[in-house]
Structure formats: C-alpha cells, structure tokens
Amino acid sequence: MEDRTIIALLFERNEQGLAELSAKYGKEMKKTAENICRSPEDAEEVCNDTLSAVWSSIPPEYPRILPAYVYQIVRNLAA
C-alpha cells in the first residue's frame, strides 16, 4: 500500500492504517529498535509505542516522508 494511502487511513482514524504501517515498515522498525536497545523485548515495546505515537500524532501532523517520520519516532523512543 502506498504511504499516502496509509496516511489517509490514519487521518480518517481508521485502525487499518496502523495495520498497513506495521505490515510495510514493522520489520525495519523492529530492526532499528533492536540495534539501539539490544533487547528483542524492549524493541517490541518500542515498536508498539511507536504505533501509538503515530496514531496520536497523525492528524494533525502530515508527514511528507512516512518512513523517515516513523523511524525518527523509533529512534527517539529507543534511545
């Protein structure tokens, strides 16, 4: 699914947007978190917190580059 479609779903407050986001970027989110946390359990929690943060911030935010937006949240939460 295209990023702008995922963002549109999130703007509609449709939880399918989170499912699509996780399906498209979940593995890379977890890998990024594991590289920082060094713990699979902590990385999983960071990924869940990231999805929650995305849900809370879109709207009003409209990220121009969705993966950059998501990975920035991952890095901030994992640090």
Side-chain angles (χ1 to χ4, degrees), residues 9-70:
L9 287 170
L10 293 170
F11 259 85
E12 294 169 3
R13 305 311 289 167
N14 185 333
E15 291 182 15
Q16 184 65 31
L18 289 179
E20 295 293 339
L21 179 70
S22 184
K24 188 168 184 179
Y25 297 112
K27 287 182 183 179
E28 195 64 34
M29 287 169 45
K30 186 164 183 173
K31 182 177 176 183
T32 301
E34 283 180 350
N35 285 339
I36 297 169
C37 296
R38 301 285 184 210
S39 163
E41 295 82 15
D42 289 345
E44 186 66 36
E45 186 172 338
V46 166
C47 289
N48 290 335
D49 290 347
T50 298
L51 292 175
S52 178
V54 167
W55 182 257
S56 296
S57 64
I58 301 176
E61 294 293 323
Y62 189 95
R64 289 182 344 165
I65 304 171
L66 184 59
Y69 183 78
V70 171

